[in-house]
Amino acid sequence: MTRHGVRSWENGGVKHLHSGKVRDLYETPEGLLLMVASDRISAFDYVLEPGIPDKGEILTRLSLWWFEQLKDVVPNHVVPADVPAEFAGRGVLCRKLRMVPVECVARGYLTGSGLTDYRREGVVSGVRLPEGLTDGSRLPEPIFTPSTKAPMGEHDEPMTFEQVVAEVGADVAERLRDITLGVYRRGAEIALDRGIILADTKIELGWDSDGVLTLGDEVLTPDSSRFWPLDQWEPGRSQPSFDKQFVRDWLLSPASGWDRASGEAPPRLPDEIVERTRDRYVEAYERLTGERFRA
């Protein structure tokens, strides 16, 4: 037996529950969840080929590092115990949560779908923003921009705060907003000290068995956030990034030959794009944590 009474699983014992676009979920004999990050990478609701080497381990190690930095902001679902050897480095044991039916997003800078909505109406998730902002503009203050949790293969839709209230009630909606902005502010402060801009982030929250809102899944990784190098930040254009925006940009470029509106799956990622994407994930990990990832 290991800490918290969790077995070593030398003879197996975990039950596969679900495979998402990036993560695989298992249940242990004790009723804990084993969340395993793969090297798969997704964009525009497609899982791309090939995967990014070491991506699963980078995301797992970075999330664990961030959970520690955020423990005074919000409790998390991690159970500090050993995982089966086959999942070492990529697996995390965690408590089951009853997930909130809202995608919790915070933005400190304007880009992506938020920029699209702003250009159309001057509003992002019901929050009216000043005139004259452009791609990469820093917002006057971070904003809570929730969205729906769409079924697999469908797109999330922006929600106003009032819609969140209607979904979960006023008290819970205010807690979701406060926690999301608290996570963003702490993450942005730490990242900025390391020469990185945290433009936006999405977090997953759920209720534990005691009814406490708890941080789950991953947190402040290149898959759930936009990270930009501070010394290259220049509003008015697409920003260089440490996240999978690099892959999105290639897919939308003439070099890929892919028409997003065609309904066809994206092409296979070239070796150069895979290598450069891995380099960006590694650099984000090393700059944020100050730790060396293996060569």
Side-chain angles (χ1 to χ4, degrees):
M1 303 288 280
T2 60
R3 287 172 295 172
H4 295 265
V6 179
R7 299 171 188 159
S8 64
W9 295 295
E10 290 179 359
N11 299 314
V14 295
K15 175 184 176 183
H16 179 257
L17 298 178
H18 173 72
S19 288
K21 285 183 284 190
V22 174
R23 283 174 174 76
D24 301 310
L25 195 63
Y26 301 82
E27 185 176 20
T28 76
E30 293 76 21
L32 295 173
L33 294 179
L34 173 62
M35 188 173 63
V36 181
S38 74
D39 290 345
R40 299 189 296 270
I41 187 167
S42 67
F44 304 118
D45 293 319
Y46 291 95
V47 176
L48 308 176
E49 292 289 343
I52 308 300
D54 298 318
K55 176 174 172 285
E57 184 172 351
I58 293 168
L59 296 187
T60 298
R61 287 170 57 175
L62 186 56
S63 285
L64 290 172
W65 185 84
W66 277 117
F67 281 135
E68 184 66 21
Q69 313 309 309
L70 296 164
K71 63 184 181 182
D72 63 328
V73 176
V74 57
N76 64 72
H77 68 164
V78 174
V79 174
D82 297 331
V83 302
E86 64 186 292
F87 302 124
R90 300 181 296 114
V92 176
L93 277 171
C94 45
R95 293 174 287 133
K96 291 183 178 179
L97 302 178
R98 181 167 58 89
M99 303 311 294
V100 172
V102 174
E103 294 280 13
C104 294
V105 181
R107 302 176 190 270
Y109 293 75
L110 189 61
T111 194
S113 62
L115 175 64
T116 301
D117 293 343
Y118 171 79
R119 284 174 170 167
R120 184 171 55 244
E121 302 174 335
V123 172
V124 180
S125 292
V127 180
R128 182 159 296 280
L129 298 174
E131 296 181 0
L133 300 181
T134 187
D135 194 353
S137 288
R138 183 177 181 177
L139 302 179
E141 61 181 5
I143 58 174
F144 179 54
T145 59
S147 67
T148 60
K149 280 190 173 180
M152 183 76 73
E154 300 182 21
H155 295 288
D156 298 335
E157 297 294 334
M159 298 177 73
T160 64
F161 184 74
E162 289 70 27
Q163 289 172 320
V164 177
V165 170
E167 181 74 30
V168 299
D171 289 346
V172 173
E174 290 177 5
R175 284 288 293 145
L176 295 179
R177 180 177 59 189
D178 291 348
I179 291 171
T180 304
L181 291 175
V183 168
Y184 174 82
R185 289 190 174 102
R186 175 64 60 80
E189 178 184 10
I190 292 173
L192 196 63
D193 187 54
R194 290 152 171 78
I196 294 176
I197 289 173
L198 174 61
D200 54 40
T201 195
K202 178 183 74 172
I203 65 172
E204 297 281 353
L205 292 167
W207 292 277
D208 69 5
S209 57
D210 295 322
V212 176
L213 274 172
T214 301
L215 186 61
D217 198 32
E218 62 180 326
V219 62
L220 294 171
T221 72
D223 268 20
S224 64
S225 314
R226 284 187 174 90
F227 292 112
W228 301 335
L230 175 61
D231 59 0
Q232 298 179 55
W233 174 51
E234 185 180 323
R237 61 170 174 83
S238 178
Q239 310 299 315
S241 69
F242 294 116
D243 51 68
K244 66 180 180 180
Q245 186 62 42
F246 177 74
V247 172
R248 296 189 192 100
D249 290 344
W250 179 82
L251 288 172
L252 296 177
S253 73
S256 77
W258 181 57
D259 179 3
R260 185 181 177 186
S262 69
E264 297 181 359
R268 184 178 178 85
L269 299 175
D271 292 345
E272 179 189 6
I273 299 299
V274 171
E275 182 179 353
R276 291 172 67 184
T277 301
R278 180 190 181 278
D279 290 345
R280 281 165 167 75
Y281 276 65
V282 169
E283 184 176 357
Y285 173 84
E286 292 185 342
R287 289 182 62 170
L288 287 167
T289 67
E291 301 171 0
R292 178 75 174 163
F293 192 76
R294 66 177 184 275

